[in-house]
Amino acid sequence: MDISRKWLSDYVKLDCDDAYLCDKLTMAGIEVEKIEKNSTIPEGVVTAKILSRDAHPGSDHLSVCKVTDGCEELQIVCGAPNCDAGCIVPLAKIGTVFHTDEGDFKIKRSKLRGVESCGMMCSEKELGISENNDGLMIFPADTALGVPLTQLYPGDTRIELEITPNRPDCLSMWGVARDVSCLLSTPAELPEISIPGCDTEVPGLVTVENQELCPRYIGRVIKNVKIGPSPDWLKERLESVGLRAINNVVDVTNFVMLELGQPLHAFDRDTLAGNRVVARNARAGEKITLLDGKVVELNENHFVIADAEKPMALAGIMGGENSGVTEKTTEILLESAVFKSSHIRSESRSLGISTDASYRYERGVDFDMAELASIRACQLILATAGGELASKAMEVTAARPAEPVINCRFDKIRALIGTTVTNERIVDILQKLHLKVENITDESCVVTAPLFRLDLTREADLAEEVARIDGLDKIPMIPVAGKVCHPDSEDAYAPLRNLRDLVIGMGFDECVHYSIVGSASALVDSRFEKSDLIELSNPLSPDNGWMRPGLLGEMLGTVGRNIARGNRDLRLFELDKAFCKNPEKFPEERNELLILMTGKRHPELFSAEGDALVDFYDIKGVVETLLEKLSVTNYRFVAPAEADSRFRTGHALVLMLEGKVAGMFGELNGKHASSWRSSAPVFFAQLEVAALINAAGRVKKSCKPLAQFPGTTRDIAFVAPETLTHGEVIDFIRKCKAPNFESVRLFDIFVGDDLKKQQKKSMAYSLSFRNRERTLTDNEVNAAMDKIRARLAAELKVELR
């Protein structure tokens, strides 16, 4: 909002410069965004007296004058016809700079037709005071000499304020003046507001069909008005804050809105069907053409001001094309109303229309100000457009809103703001803010907040008022003392952070995707059906109206975009929220970890080894490494019980933690990558974070010294049924608990034609043995191997080779 310093001074005395005023406003929470001075009189122009006037020896229209500013006598060559001796005129001394549309013009010592001139005497037009250029500007004979013209004609300063949404009372000159009067400790007063009495009633002039949306409507009739230009003072006030003058009646409504914060509208009563107005909801199919020419098709949710037949204005937003006054208008109906702020805000947004009126109504206007603003507008219309008041205030009003009554405890105020402000100072500030203060005791007082202060509802609000007026700079600076209440290990976010750091440490790049997705992306994860998705009731876009049930869909989109741009060697992961509507499948909100890899295993190499692509065992190794880093030992991998369309058939495993499914990993089903320009397989793991975190750290990490004695290995090979899994073999060998057994490793699987016909396969393992206290003998190792071989043959029914 823009305010004018000169206009503001009509209500409160300003004995300070612009910088001080703006600093006080900003520190009081009314932030100054911009300061613009519009005075055209430059520094260096002073009042001076012409002592003598002689003819110029080389010109018949120039004069040579002796001039004094009270300090020195100067010779000036002048061409004005009225540069007579004894006149007091404006003198631009040497060094004065005039700023014109053609550029800057600096006054210098110069010669005009051979005669030296040491300055310039000025006309009103040259100083930008008026368009008068007939001669020099002449001051009264008693004007003091040497007075800077910037003091006699100070011009004006436009100040742009950033008004927060909770302070609609500051969207007017009077509202700002109230705060300024408190900040500067000077009284704020409105000009005398009165109109001639009129008891004439106009039955049916105003009808309100929906008082919830229009709790107050005041209408007055003024007849025999004469529409014409506004007086200069009114034009000056409007132009000082950037508004263009239109005509006297419209300018008055704009002036009162800016002065008191109450939007008004003047209807040409002769254009109203039935000569009356009806505040009502629009009817379906009605249309209105607004003042800006925009045609709006209305529905029942729109609130309009209509005549007896049709809508004439969008209530609180903009008038209709035919609702305003014109040069032919002689009788007006002046509207001053209060509309429901939330409805105006919603309607303004839905229509994409924002005006000065809607801006104020959206934030809330003073219920009581509607009447005063109506009287003020009538007063000014009668003064500027003539006419006579033809009706009393025809008003439709709901119950007046209750004013908040707040108990203000002085000690509580001091505790909240942290200063030692006295009880008397607290009361003084609240009273100067035009708040009603009663029942003052040594401990407290009772404050009634007026209806123009919609932001004051509780004791903390009063503390804020005291703090900003008394001075935020008085609040002491107290160092913040940090206290560690719990160790980092108890931080609920720490396990997620640690898990994320582990995956990054394994060489993967993190992706972050939106949680709100389209249904196609959500259903890429075949575990879910559309009924499992959580749908948004009010999505920003119809194409993105569901919460993602898993991380796979958006991750595949990222992979596709990277491959399309030639980036085919990818190591990506995401750890974030997923959402499910079906509690039988997953909780409504959970954390999921998705790890994906594709492309070359070692893209940094240039040898043949660098061409090798990642395979199933790479993603399996990533999962195993992650589990190892989490100190998870009680896990196993099993084949899925049924086919999962996320994965290529036969190329996926389920991760079991403590007997429960914790995720799945394997090769991506080719149908999801059919459109990608890459033949490299894609492998991914989709893991449940809660299961990983719950299982992590069950086994405490310990360090063992390096073995001082050598270990030894033995190989074992056998033919086994093709249904026997590697995991079953590993578990069996470990359960044998052979003496000095250390580890086992699979190093070969072979399925030839003959074995395939027999539905069998050949498996070969390397077993390691070690004793940490001595060197093992061959007999000890052979005995342990014989025990394992015998049990494998007897219990797993394998054929030893």
Side-chain angles (χ1 to χ4, degrees), residues 159 244 266 293 322 330 380 425 567 661 705 763:
I159 303 172
R244 176 176 58 89
N322 299 317
T330 59
L380 295 176
R425 175 62 172 157
N567 186 17
V661 175
M763 307 177 74

Side-chain angles (χ1 to χ4, degrees), residues 372-442:
L372 182 64
S374 177
I375 297 172
R376 176 65 164 161
C378 284
Q379 176 191 35
L380 295 176
I381 289 173
L382 294 175
T384 60
E388 58 187 271
L389 195 59
S391 79
K392 62 185 294 185
M394 305 305 297
E395 181 174 0
V396 179
T397 304
R400 182 176 183 270
E403 295 174 326
V405 178
I406 309 167
N407 184 39
C408 175
R409 296 166 293 173
F410 300 133
D411 287 342
K412 181 65 174 178
I413 298 297
R414 283 186 282 268
L416 286 172
I417 64 178
T419 64
T420 57
V421 58
T422 64
N423 297 355
E424 293 75 14
R425 175 62 172 157
I426 294 174
V427 171
D428 181 59
I429 289 174
L430 298 177
Q431 290 176 335
K432 286 181 177 179
L433 287 171
H434 294 220
L435 310 183
K436 185 178 179 181
V437 183
E438 300 174 307
N439 302 336
I440 303 172
T441 67
D442 292 338

